[in-house]
């Protein structure tokens, strides 16, 4: 029957500890300022550009998106 | 003045040979390649048409990516770590006759609107909008819109699509 030596126990504990730290780092990386999901505000130029057709945006439009202004 | 915003596929017989935005490559694309690119699936072509049935401006949308190595470090804090899917605004031009009347912004607004539509309809996933510029003037135009230069290829720029979606309140 295989037994776990003292040195193996130490290694196992260290390994679990490393995995735990790695998991925390991953979670932190996901949570810290994700600029793709929460980017800086649009510039004034972009705001003015979009403002022109914002009232025409209807997410239920058919895909071709054609329209008259 | 009224405008019609149409995909080229919905008005395939519209006169394209007289379009002149001052950039030969952009003119030639519309005259010679636009229809083929549509049919072969390289890009979609969208037109802004005047009351007189003239093309006042056009742009193309296509699928693209942004290599991880081109993304500024602060935009790399996300997993998984592979190229970011993007929509490419390829060609973009307004006819000389209509230039100086800020129609490029109206044309661009339509491009943003269609990109937001593509997102909300959920048929394709992408994280950014990409442009590749040919001149300093063009680059300045996109920088003013808030686009961010690639790390190495400084003539290519991107913006998180979320910035556009937020403005459309999506």
């Amino acid at each position: 029957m295989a037994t776990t030596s003292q040195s193996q126990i130490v290694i196992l504990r260290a390994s679990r500890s490393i995995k735990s730290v790695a998991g925390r780092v991953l979670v932190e990386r996901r949570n810290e300022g994700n600029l793709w999901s929460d980017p800086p505000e649009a510039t004034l130029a972009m705001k003015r550009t979009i403002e022109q057709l914002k009232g025409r945006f209807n997410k239920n439009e058919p895909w071709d998106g054609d329209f008259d202004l | 003045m009224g405008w019609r915003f149409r995909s080229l596929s919905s008005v395939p017989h519209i006169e394209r040979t007289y379009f002149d935005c001052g950039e030969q490559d952009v003119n030639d694309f519309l005259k010679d390649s636009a229809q083929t690119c549509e049919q072969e699936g390289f890009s979609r072509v969208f037109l802004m048409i005047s009351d007189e049935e003239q093309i006042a401006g056009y742009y193309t949308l296509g699928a693209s990516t942004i290599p991880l190595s081109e993304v500024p470090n602060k935009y790399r804090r996300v997993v998984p770590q592979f190229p970011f899917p993007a929509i490419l605004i390829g060609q973009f031009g307004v006819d000389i006759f209509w230039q100086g009347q800020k129609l490029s912004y109206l044309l661009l607004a339509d491009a943003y609107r269609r990109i937001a539509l593509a997102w909300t309809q959920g048929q394709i996933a992408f994280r950014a909008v990409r442009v590749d510029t040919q001149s300093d003037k063009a680059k300045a135009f996109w920088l003013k819109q808030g686009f961010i230069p690639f790390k190495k290829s400084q003539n290519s720029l991107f913006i998180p699509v979320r910035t556009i979606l937020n403005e459309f309140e999506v």
Side-chain angles (χ1 to χ4, degrees), chain A residues 10-26:
Chain A
V10 170
I11 290 170
L12 276 171
R13 281 179 180 160
S15 170
R16 282 180 193 144
S17 175
I18 288 167
K19 281 179 184 168
S20 171
V21 169
R24 277 206 305 274
V25 169
L26 195 61

Side-chain angles (χ1 to χ4, degrees), chain B residues 1-151:
Chain B
M1 172 60 69
W3 301 104
R4 291 190 301 135
F5 295 87
R6 294 286 184 274
S7 59
L8 177 60
S9 58
S10 70
V11 285
H13 302 299
I14 193 165
E15 177 58 61
R16 289 179 281 132
T17 54
Y18 298 118
F19 181 82
D20 180 10
C21 68
E23 300 271 349
Q24 198 60 46
D25 289 349
V26 182
N27 296 343
D28 289 346
F29 179 89
L30 185 62
K31 289 168 191 162
D32 304 329
S33 309
Q35 208 120 41
T36 306
C37 281
E38 274 267 353
Q39 288 163 357
E40 298 296 327
F42 284 99
S43 57
R44 296 286 172 235
V45 182
F46 298 101
L47 313 170
M48 185 164 73
I49 304 167
S50 72
D51 289 338
E52 293 83 23
E53 290 296 306
Q54 291 173 337
I55 298 174
Y58 87 96
Y59 62 88
T60 64
L61 298 181
S64 185
T65 59
I66 301 170
L68 198 59
S69 59
E70 292 283 13
V71 176
N73 290 342
K74 63 182 181 179
Y75 282 91
R76 295 177 67 170
R77 294 172 187 159
V78 63
V79 285
Q81 300 268 315
F82 44 65
F84 293 96
I87 296 290
L88 173 71
I89 301 177
Q91 310 292 332
F92 185 92
V94 171
D95 192 286
I96 288 172
F97 182 79
W98 300 103
Q99 287 179 13
Q101 301 177 49
K102 298 192 181 297
L103 284 187
S104 57
Y105 296 103
L106 187 56
L107 185 66
L108 181 57
D110 188 56
Y112 288 150
R113 186 185 66 88
R114 288 187 193 267
I115 288 167
L117 266 183
W119 176 276
T120 56
Q121 294 180 351
Q123 301 298 319
I124 185 170
F126 53 99
R127 304 214 75 174
V129 177
R130 169 182 176 161
V131 292
D132 299 326
T133 62
Q134 305 289 334
S135 67
D136 289 343
K137 186 181 171 189
K139 185 176 177 181
F141 175 83
W142 294 107
L143 284 171
K144 202 170 175 185
Q145 288 288 313
F147 280 65
I148 302 153
F150 282 18
K151 271 174 82 174

Side-chain angles (χ1 to χ4, degrees), chain A residues 10-47:
Chain A
V10 170
I11 290 170
L12 276 171
R13 281 179 180 160
S15 170
R16 282 180 193 144
S17 175
I18 288 167
K19 281 179 184 168
S20 171
V21 169
R24 277 206 305 274
V25 169
L26 195 61
V27 169
E28 283 165 10
R29 286 181 66 172
R30 280 177 177 154
N31 291 343
E32 74 185 12
N34 180 349
L35 290 169
W36 296 96
S37 304
D38 189 18
E41 197 174 358
T43 62
L44 188 58
M46 178 178 276
K47 283 177 182 290

